Amino acid sequence: MASSFKNSIENMYKRMITYSILTSILTVVAGVVLLLVPELTNKVVGIIAGIIFLLEGINSIYKYFHREGAKLYNLSLVFGVLYAVLGVVIIIYPFTVEFVTVCLGLYMIINGASKVNYALWLKRGNEDSWLITLATGILVAIVGILVIFNPFASLTLTKLAGAFLIITGILDFMDTILFKNRSKEIMEIFW
């Protein structure tokens, strides 16, 4: 019985890792598109950002409901709902780049807070990689604050959003690969 439960958890964990990798890659691709084609209309930029947020929300909600007792994902429902609401609002009202940029900043702050939460759980489990996850979370949250207050007046908001999506996607990808490489140790902490 215990081994079938463990196999179920391992399979679920592998699916979560795969989905997180795909989300990170989509985030980077969207960032590259926004960076290289800044003349996209506000509506297209908003819809792309909204879809990314919505997918991240669905991923987080999925993690919460399929966590099988994993303490790591206790706050995933909160983060998932916040991401999904941001995504839907942006998809419905994608017309101002300033609004989308503020939502992008909020997305990054939520993403950073989520990573800080993971890092604290990793620290409680004496996992050596907690500091990397904490630094990633803090960095993503700081980038989110920078996006909201836009001290980069010389860059267009579309290029700025693209650059920060690339950064966030790369940091998310690195964090996911770390989780994947240390999966046995991490699973022992949380299940």
Side-chain angles (χ1 to χ4, degrees), residues 49-58 83-84 86-87 90 103-104 107:
I51 290 170
I52 290 170
F53 298 166
L54 186 58
L55 288 174
E56 187 65 36
I58 292 168
Y83 288 139
L86 274 175
I90 292 173
C103 289
L104 175 63
Y107 163 79

Side-chain angles (χ1 to χ4, degrees), residues 163-176:
F164 285 133
L165 278 175
I166 292 169
I167 292 168
T168 300
I170 290 170
L171 291 173
D172 284 347
F173 183 77
M174 289 173 26
D175 212 28
T176 300

Side-chain angles (χ1 to χ4, degrees), residues 4-5 13 16 28 48 59 62 67 104 113 121 143 173:
S4 67
F5 178 72
Y13 187 77
M16 286 180 182
V28 170
I48 290 171
N59 182 33
Y62 176 83
R67 64 194 162 122
L104 175 63
W121 276 104
V143 168
F173 183 77

Side-chain angles (χ1 to χ4, degrees), residues 1-10 68-69 191:
M1 176 84 175
S3 65
S4 67
F5 178 72
K6 184 178 179 191
N7 288 338
S8 170
I9 294 298
E10 287 175 358
E68 301 289 335
W191 278 283

Side-chain angles (χ1 to χ4, degrees), residues 93-110:
Y93 303 107
F95 297 104
T96 67
V97 174
E98 292 81 10
F99 175 71
V100 172
T101 304
V102 168
C103 289
L104 175 63
L106 291 173
Y107 163 79
M108 290 177 172
I109 292 168
I110 296 166

Side-chain angles (χ1 to χ4, degrees), residues 60-168:
S60 292
I61 292 168
Y62 176 83
K63 286 178 184 176
Y64 178 81
F65 285 111
H66 292 90
R67 64 194 162 122
E68 301 289 335
K71 299 172 210 147
L72 174 66
Y73 300 114
N74 281 347
L75 291 176
S76 290
L77 181 63
V78 173
F79 294 128
V81 168
L82 289 172
Y83 288 139
V85 167
L86 274 175
V88 169
V89 167
I90 292 173
I91 289 169
I92 293 172
Y93 303 107
F95 297 104
T96 67
V97 174
E98 292 81 10
F99 175 71
V100 172
T101 304
V102 168
C103 289
L104 175 63
L106 291 173
Y107 163 79
M108 290 177 172
I109 292 168
I110 296 166
N111 188 301
S114 174
K115 288 184 183 319
V116 168
N117 177 52
Y118 293 165
L120 295 176
W121 276 104
L122 290 170
K123 184 176 192 274
R124 287 182 203 149
N126 295 319
E127 170 58 37
D128 295 334
S129 63
W130 76 273
L131 198 54
I132 294 169
T133 303
L134 179 68
T136 302
I138 291 170
L139 183 61
V140 169
I142 289 170
V143 168
I145 291 167
L146 290 174
V147 168
I148 289 174
F149 293 106
N150 190 17
F152 312 101
S154 63
L155 292 176
T156 66
L157 289 175
T158 307
K159 283 186 178 181
L160 180 68
F164 285 133
L165 278 175
I166 292 169
I167 292 168
T168 300

